[in-house]
Amino acid sequence: MSPVAQTAGTVPSSPREPGERLVRPALLLAGILLLAANMRAPITVVSPLLGTISEELALSSATASVLISLPLLCFAAFSPLVPRLARRWGIEGTLVAALMLLCLAIVVRSLPWTPGLWLGTAGIGASVSAINVLLPSLLKRDFPTRIGPMTGVYNAVQSTFAAAASGLAVPLAGLPGWSWRTAIGITLGFALVGLAVMLPILRAALAGRAARRALTTDPLPDGVGPGSTAGGATAPLAAGTTSDAAGAPAPPRPSTPVWRSTIAWQVTAFMGVQSTLFYSMLTWWPSIERDAGLDPVTAGVHMALLQLSSIGGNLLTGALLRRVDARWVTMLPQPLIIIAFVGMLTAPDAALLWSVCFGFAAGNNIVAALSLFGARTRSHQSAAAVSGMGQSVGYLAAAVVPAALGVLHDATGSWTPVLWVLCGLAALTALLGWFAAGKRQLD
């Protein structure tokens, strides 16, 4: 087990071993926040422009919905593969490769070439899936005592950039000389800045790995080896040390394969249902509001405010997870979600209030779900494995269920049964959250 994962309190500093390089915590934090900035913005930038894209390319409604669901299907397909890549390339190496792929995919998606729209969207989904899976593992490794607050902060950044991309997409597409292709390409800037910050972090990790390998070839006193102090005890790593990629002994893999672990399935079920709620809302809430009599511009503004309001939920949950039993933290947002759905059924004129209610509660849910990947595992390898499983199943459900809800709407001609189904899913989320946030950890 990694010394970082063993630490119960604040991670102490320790003498550096020969050749060991530390990544400054400020640089590592900047890297994490810039990774978060790229997790949702390249995807949400498309939704406000979907009508324009469909008209220009003559896409049917069904085909256009596939364009929105494609990144989620890529999350489901690639998430289980990411932990294997991280074991081969290290966390930092895999994240840098993901950012490189993201930059390429954004460029390809923006080209005046229709297949590029689909290929680029798939590439974005594949690259973001790696970031989705590995950020919880990175926090487990380098910030083991601050998983909740750090998860809240990076989700707040993610929501901010997602809302900015959504809000700026249509105005930018209307600028002289610009088009929807140019507008969806603006997120390339976020990816390039993230890559510029992650490269020195990767260089430090590789230098540390090389130094440790060199140490293994030198004769050392009895009881002393790489990662040990002169007394033979394992030296704890300082915060920000890239222990995994730097060649430190890797924690053992989970004794129980994650796909057979009750703990992993509890976390996965909670992740899946809360993801389904959020992406169902992301897909259909503007349509629900328009059918209730709101104009498209107002519905779009409400969607942006929904995403912005999730920031408050992100930060509040990050703080609560250090002070309150996580089981209560996972349950408390669900009544607010049910209130939002029932409110939309009974008082649609207050749609702005219901949008903010749902956004705030959804911000709570995602932070709670992501923090459980680290909280219910003992090592960052286990966290990555459970994260890959949870996000694969969760995003598969998030891609399939909204389409099924669309079929339900078409069959009934009303959003009322859809909203009642979503109320039931919110109640189920509360129950699953209680079990997902238990005390036992996956070995």
Side-chain angles (χ1 to χ4, degrees):
M1 187 185 307
S2 169
V4 172
Q6 289 176 321
T7 306
T10 303
V11 181
S13 60
S14 62
R16 301 185 199 182
E17 297 175 28
E20 181 183 285
R21 292 179 63 185
L22 291 178
V23 175
R24 288 175 296 176
L27 179 62
L28 185 58
L29 177 61
I32 289 170
L33 297 183
L34 285 166
L35 287 166
N38 285 284
M39 289 173 68
R40 200 183 292 168
I43 299 169
T44 60
V45 72
V46 174
S47 295
L49 296 167
L50 191 59
T52 304
I53 295 171
S54 299
E55 289 177 8
E56 182 173 323
L57 301 182
L59 302 179
S60 66
S61 297
T63 304
S65 68
V66 172
L67 185 64
I68 296 297
S69 298
L70 183 56
L72 302 181
L73 293 172
C74 289
F75 292 170
F78 290 104
S79 291
L81 306 177
V82 174
R84 299 179 189 177
L85 294 176
R87 285 194 293 269
R88 180 183 293 269
W89 298 342
I91 293 177
E92 293 85 354
T94 307
L95 288 171
V96 166
L99 285 171
M100 289 179 173
L101 175 60
L102 180 61
C103 291
L104 177 63
I106 292 172
V107 171
V108 170
R109 186 179 65 174
S110 300
L111 294 175
W113 179 51
T114 300
L117 176 66
W118 298 95
L119 291 173
T121 299
I124 288 169
S127 56
V128 173
S129 69
I131 303 173
N132 282 340
V133 170
L134 291 181
L135 265 188
S137 178
L138 188 64
L139 296 186
K140 177 71 175 180
R141 190 193 71 186
D142 290 335
F143 299 93
T145 64
R146 298 187 59 82
I147 292 174
M150 288 292 295
T151 303
V153 169
Y154 89 68
N155 272 278
V157 171
Q158 172 183 279
S159 299
T160 300
F161 278 79
S166 297
L168 292 173
V170 173
L172 288 176
L175 291 176
W178 284 54
S179 69
W180 64 264
R181 295 184 186 277
T182 319
I184 66 175
I186 61 170
T187 54
L188 177 62
F190 305 157
L192 288 172
V193 174
L195 182 61
V197 172
M198 284 302 299
L199 282 172
I201 295 175
L202 174 61
R203 283 196 295 269
L206 294 176
R209 174 186 293 177
R212 288 180 181 273
R213 284 178 176 170
L215 282 173
T216 61
T217 64
D218 295 333
L220 295 170
D222 291 342
V224 180
S228 300
T229 63
T234 301
L237 295 174
T241 302
T242 51
S243 59
D244 186 46
R253 295 185 189 181
S255 57
T256 302
V258 291
W259 291 91
R260 299 182 196 171
S261 165
T262 301
I263 294 173
W265 275 109
Q266 289 170 346
V267 175
T268 294
F270 178 66
M271 177 70 186
V273 180
Q274 70 85 27
S275 296
T276 298
L277 279 171
F278 178 79
Y279 282 98
S280 295
M281 287 288 287
L282 199 65
T283 304
W284 297 121
W285 193 248
S287 298
I288 292 171
E289 289 195 342
R290 287 197 298 271
D291 282 7
L294 277 74
D295 63 87
V297 174
T298 301
V301 170
H302 287 184
M303 179 55 65
L305 292 174
L306 184 152
Q307 295 188 66
L308 283 174
S309 65
S310 70
I311 297 172
N314 296 154
L315 297 175
L316 176 63
T317 301
L320 287 178
L321 283 170
R322 301 193 73 190
R323 299 171 174 85
V324 180
D325 189 326
R327 290 173 294 184
W328 291 110
V329 176
T330 61
M331 290 185 67
L332 291 176
Q334 314 323 320
L336 196 58
I337 290 178
I338 294 173
I339 289 171
F341 293 151
V342 174
M344 195 64 196
L345 285 169
T346 57
D349 290 343
L352 174 59
L353 175 61
W354 313 135
S355 299
V356 171
C357 282
F358 177 85
F360 183 82
N364 280 267
N365 277 343
I366 186 61
V367 172
L370 293 175
S371 68
L372 290 175
F373 296 141
R376 298 215 63 187
T377 54
R378 295 187 185 277
S379 71
H380 65 271
Q381 274 87 348
S382 295
V386 176
S387 177
M389 172 183 170
Q391 299 200 50
S392 175
V393 174
Y395 287 120
L396 179 61
V400 171
V401 172
L405 294 176
V407 172
L408 177 61
H409 168 263
D410 291 344
T412 61
S414 170
W415 290 109
T416 298
V418 171
L419 288 169
W420 282 119
V421 168
L422 292 174
C423 285
L425 288 177
L428 179 61
T429 304
L431 178 64
L432 294 173
W434 182 266
F435 291 103
K439 299 296 185 182
R440 288 195 307 118
Q441 289 185 308
L442 178 66
D443 293 328

